[in-house]
Amino acid sequence: MTETVDTEAARHLTTREGWRAFTSQPPSSPALLSEDEYAALSDADLDHYNEDRLDHHARLLVVATSTVRHTVTSGRRLILLNRHAVSARRGLIISGPAGTGKTIAITQLGLAHELQDWARHPDVDDRIPVVYVTVPPAATPRMIAAEFARFLGLPTTGKFNITDITDIIDSVVGVCTTARTGLVLVDELHNISLTTRHGAEVADTLKYFSERIAATFIYAGIDIEHSSLLSGTRGAQIAGRFTLIPTHPFPYNHEWKGLVSTMERTLLLHRHTPGTLVELDRYLHKRTGGMIGALSHQIRGAAIDAILTGAERITRETLEAIPLDVAAESPELVTSARESW
């Protein structure tokens, strides 16, 4: 199955076109030229070569961490267990601090399911095996219904009444049923608060979707186990059907060292000494707080700077020049904020 995607919408996973582009053949990495070939490039060819390498390092590298593997294995198991369930299908909640790989984990599960579905049904082009949506801030039932409709390419109006919402929900259920959707990924779940009327209604809307669409639902969000989503009557219903997979910053151990080594092997720099980042893995852990998102950002940022400046190498000094997010730089502030929720 091939599909040409050249619209701005295709860059977002929350559209069907964008998701298809994500699950299609990934772009190949440019080859690192020999020193003689590199020195012989004209100015125009050098600009093109560097642009390809910049694009390569700008892409988010997906590493098969223990969290990703656990999520994919658990998700695929649930999809099989739910295949013939009439009701009360079970799901997963991936929960943890920001930057610990939750979105990567659920999108890799979605990718695995979509590729498997294509392999089983290679001649059926109207299937939509996976739906991926994010919960908007201060979400309402109207907004969450519109997110599902937008992914599926269904028309919605800017302002609609309750009848229109019902029509949209019915259309979403109908399309997902016809297209044999087997997996629904709902990200940014922490934007729902069951302590508000709208939040409770959004939770009810998602529950309705999960009962009407014969699919496995996977939720991801920040510290869901400490939020209102698992409290009260509604929370008890969610807790009774969903298994929680927590994500955490990585400790300084063998897996962390492997992450650094894997990322270093992807570098396309002409003067970088292999093993430099591995020797700095303890520093990288201390600087990033074990956050895989911060680690990826720091290494990719330093690689981009190395190309832009012509240094063509990463050192501790160039790594220190990359500013990180507050969670990585000041984890105590995030912990304090979480305790005050």
Side-chain angles (χ1 to χ4, degrees):
M1 182 182 350
T2 60
E3 185 173 348
T4 301
V5 180
D6 56 6
T7 64
E8 182 66 23
R11 303 185 182 199
H12 302 284
L13 295 183
T14 52
T15 67
R16 186 181 177 190
E17 293 81 8
W19 181 262
R20 284 288 179 92
F22 167 69
T23 56
S24 298
Q25 185 69 25
S28 59
S29 300
L32 188 66
L33 299 179
S34 69
E35 288 306 306
D36 289 341
E37 292 171 328
Y38 180 57
L41 289 175
S42 66
D43 289 345
D45 287 341
L46 179 60
D47 287 343
H48 181 74
Y49 174 63
N50 284 346
E51 188 60 36
D52 285 345
R53 291 192 296 144
L54 288 169
D55 186 64
H56 164 76
H57 292 109
R59 296 191 199 107
L60 180 63
L61 173 68
V62 175
V63 181
T65 65
S66 55
T67 299
V68 170
R69 291 193 298 269
H70 184 32
T71 300
V72 172
T73 299
S74 300
R76 294 186 68 177
R77 181 193 308 123
L78 281 179
I79 292 169
L80 291 172
L81 289 171
N82 289 334
R83 180 174 290 176
H84 301 294
V86 177
S87 62
R89 284 176 288 272
R90 295 186 174 274
L92 288 178
I93 295 177
I94 317 302
S95 173
T100 51
K102 299 179 296 298
T103 296
I104 290 177
I106 66 171
T107 53
Q108 288 302 298
L109 168 59
L111 173 62
H113 178 70
E114 182 119 354
L115 294 179
Q116 184 184 49
D117 192 88
W118 286 357
R120 293 182 62 189
H121 308 280
D123 300 323
V124 182
D125 195 47
D126 60 352
R127 295 176 70 91
I128 305 177
V130 178
V131 169
Y132 174 83
V133 299
T134 59
V135 178
T140 66
R142 298 180 180 186
M143 294 166 69
I144 199 67
E147 287 296 310
F148 275 83
R150 185 163 70 95
F151 181 93
L152 298 171
L154 298 175
T156 61
T157 55
K159 295 182 179 179
F160 36 84
N161 57 35
I162 190 64
T163 303
D164 295 323
I165 297 173
T166 302
D167 290 342
I168 292 172
I169 290 175
D170 287 343
S171 295
V172 167
V173 171
V175 171
C176 288
T177 301
T178 301
R180 299 294 192 272
T181 299
L183 182 65
V184 176
L185 307 174
V186 182
D187 209 347
E188 306 293 332
L189 195 71
H190 51 269
N191 285 330
I192 302 174
S193 173
L194 293 189
T195 61
T196 66
R197 179 175 63 86
H198 284 322
E201 290 173 348
V202 169
D204 289 343
T205 301
L206 287 174
K207 182 174 181 291
Y208 183 77
F209 275 136
S210 69
E211 291 171 345
R212 293 282 306 279
I213 301 172
T216 298
F217 276 63
I218 310 294
Y219 296 155
I222 297 174
D223 294 335
I224 301 302
E225 65 270 38
H226 300 127
S227 72
S228 63
L229 277 167
L230 299 182
S231 62
T233 303
R234 288 183 175 87
Q237 290 179 328
I238 296 173
R241 291 189 182 183
F242 284 78
T243 300
L244 181 72
I245 295 181
T247 63
H248 306 284
F250 285 88
Y252 180 69
N253 58 13
H254 178 73
E255 183 172 15
W256 176 263
K257 296 177 181 181
L259 291 176
V260 174
S261 177
T262 297
M263 291 185 182
E264 185 167 30
R265 288 197 298 271
T266 68
L267 296 177
L268 297 177
L269 301 174
H270 282 273
R271 300 186 187 94
H272 182 77
T273 303
T276 298
L277 297 188
V278 173
E279 293 177 357
L280 293 171
D281 56 18
R282 186 179 291 275
Y283 155 75
L284 288 168
H285 185 267
K286 183 177 180 180
R287 175 82 195 283
T288 63
M291 301 286 194
I292 187 172
L295 175 68
S296 174
H297 175 82
Q298 187 175 25
I299 292 176
R300 291 185 297 122
I304 288 173
D305 282 1
I307 296 173
L308 293 175
T309 63
E312 293 290 337
R313 63 166 61 90
I314 296 178
T315 64
R316 176 165 177 158
E317 289 71 25
T318 61
L319 287 167
E320 288 179 344
I322 306 300
L324 300 182
D325 55 84
V326 175
E329 298 277 22
S330 306
E332 66 279 359
L333 294 179
V334 177
T335 301
S336 176
R338 186 181 303 127
E339 290 173 349
S340 67
W341 288 352

